[in-house]
Amino acid sequence: MLDQTPPANSNKVEVLLRMLEPDGRLIAPGAFLPAAERYNLMPAIDRWVIRHALARAGSETGRRFSHVAINLSGSSIGDPELYNFIVGEIAASGANPGALCFEITESAAIANFKQCASCIESLRKMGCKFALDDFGTGMASFSYLKNLGLDYLKIDGNYIREMQYNLYHYSMTEAITRVGHAMGLKTMAAFVESEESLQKLKDLGVDYAQGYKIAPPQPLDSLG
């Protein structure tokens, strides 16, 4: 089952993943993705998500979204065939490459740096965009940024959750925002759950916010 997280009256969404139990209960990704990673199932899961997300993005209703974010695992970003698969799915679905933004984690980018940089470069030539997710969890991050060819930095949500009463987390959010802007990147904040956090992010000049304060996840079919 695919979910997307759209801000109210916005045309920007992120595709999220949930497992559906036979009785209809939804299983959060933290409960099943670690097992998928352990048994090397993430490449297959990622390809399923890419295929279904692009099919929706290429549909008549899906084309109203100007930004469709899709997460890629470390296993997939290290796969040399990933680029050809994505290109094939874009062609088959008719999705607009300019509306697609692939999100990769900082740790995955560093672990598969050469392959990751090559994939990013090729897909960006088609018009796709890339975001570095969970940014700030590694201390060697900044030295890699200028060589990856990114469009967005998504600040690690743990900083955002506590920034209103934790000076260290506030300072890290501020530093990431300044460095990102200095490099010409847009910044995103995840896990925005309160008006206080949202206001602080506005004050810091963070470009985009995502979280329950903005809008809760919604089933894909509810978006029309």
Side-chain angles (χ1 to χ4, degrees), residues 202-224:
K202 290 179 180 178
D203 294 341
L204 290 176
V206 174
D207 298 291
Y208 299 101
Q210 175 185 19
Y212 278 81
K213 172 60 184 174
I214 310 301
Q218 299 179 29
L220 186 66
D221 292 342
S222 73
L223 299 179

Side-chain angles (χ1 to χ4, degrees), residues 1-192:
M1 177 178 182
L2 288 174
D3 291 332
Q4 296 179 322
T5 309
N9 58 43
S10 171
N11 63 352
K12 295 179 173 62
V13 296
E14 177 180 0
V15 177
L16 305 174
L17 190 64
R18 301 289 186 269
M19 180 179 285
L20 187 63
E21 289 277 40
D23 61 4
R25 290 184 298 118
L26 292 180
I27 307 299
F32 65 87
L33 288 186
E37 291 172 348
R38 186 179 309 119
Y39 292 103
N40 198 32
L41 296 175
M42 285 310 303
I45 291 173
D46 282 347
R47 290 184 179 219
W48 185 91
V49 171
I50 291 168
R51 179 175 290 119
H52 284 77
L54 266 57
R56 176 55 65 98
S59 68
E60 182 177 351
T61 55
R63 284 184 170 273
R64 70 185 176 93
F65 296 111
S66 65
H67 180 102
V68 179
I70 302 170
N71 292 276
L72 299 176
S73 69
S75 299
S76 288
I77 202 64
D79 179 1
E81 293 301 317
L82 177 67
Y83 168 75
N84 290 332
F85 175 79
I86 292 176
V87 170
E89 291 303 317
I90 290 174
S93 65
N96 173 18
L100 304 177
C101 180
F102 295 98
E103 296 193 4
I104 55 177
T105 65
E106 179 183 357
S107 57
I110 293 173
N112 304 280
F113 186 77
K114 289 185 178 180
Q115 175 60 35
C116 181
S118 175
C119 185
I120 289 175
E121 180 182 11
S122 298
L123 287 172
R124 288 187 82 223
K125 287 179 179 178
M126 294 183 61
C128 300
K129 297 178 175 62
F130 276 81
L132 198 61
D133 200 4
D134 295 338
F135 187 77
T137 56
M139 299 312 294
S141 308
F142 291 122
S143 64
Y144 289 88
L145 284 180
K146 62 181 181 295
N147 297 316
L148 268 180
L150 300 164
D151 300 280
Y152 302 96
L153 286 184
K154 181 178 280 189
I155 305 166
D156 182 57
N158 291 315
Y159 293 131
I160 307 305
R161 275 178 168 163
E162 300 185 14
M163 63 179 291
Q164 66 224 48
Y165 47 82
N166 185 308
L167 181 58
Y168 169 73
H169 288 178
Y170 179 89
S171 299
M172 284 295 294
T173 302
E174 181 181 29
I176 292 169
T177 301
R178 287 189 176 186
V179 172
H181 286 167
M183 300 184 70
L185 305 177
K186 297 290 188 180
T187 53
M188 303 178 180
F191 296 177
V192 181

